[in-house]
Amino acid sequence: MMDLAHLVKNNIYAYGIRGEGRSATRRAMALMAEKRFDATKIHTHTFPLLDLPTALRYARERVEDAIKVVVTNRKADAITRTAAE
């Protein structure tokens, strides 16, 4: 859980990403299926939310040639998996 009061008091910004929509997702999946695009070259690192400072450092400083650094929230991931089932 994120402490929003802490973010506000300390002038901390949290950013998310927006999806590109169903058609873009389908196009990307088709390109990957045809082996015309290798997504592993973009998604280079994944960190749990507890390691957010490390994830931000990797993204900012391009540690280990980081390109796409993903931060996951186990609680949110579990909710998403349960909803999908």
Side-chain angles (χ1 to χ4, degrees):
M1 171 99 36
M2 191 177 290
D3 182 358
L4 294 180
H6 176 76
L7 296 178
V8 172
K9 288 178 189 174
N10 293 287
N11 199 29
I12 297 172
Y13 293 85
Y15 295 93
I17 60 169
R18 67 178 181 87
E20 292 299 328
R22 195 173 292 174
S23 64
T25 302
R26 286 185 182 139
R27 283 194 310 266
M29 289 173 63
L31 289 171
M32 287 186 281
E34 295 171 9
K35 306 266 191 245
R36 293 175 56 197
F37 174 73
D38 183 4
T40 62
K41 292 181 179 179
I42 293 175
H43 177 190
T44 57
H45 297 80
T46 302
F47 294 92
L49 186 56
L50 292 174
D51 289 338
L52 181 60
T54 302
L56 293 174
R57 184 174 66 81
Y58 269 59
R60 183 176 44 249
E61 299 173 13
R62 299 275 180 149
V63 175
E64 297 177 4
D65 295 323
I67 297 172
K68 176 74 172 182
V69 178
V70 176
V71 178
T72 62
N73 179 342
R74 286 189 207 159
K75 192 174 196 177
D77 291 344
I79 292 169
T80 302
R81 277 194 304 274
T82 302
E85 294 172 353

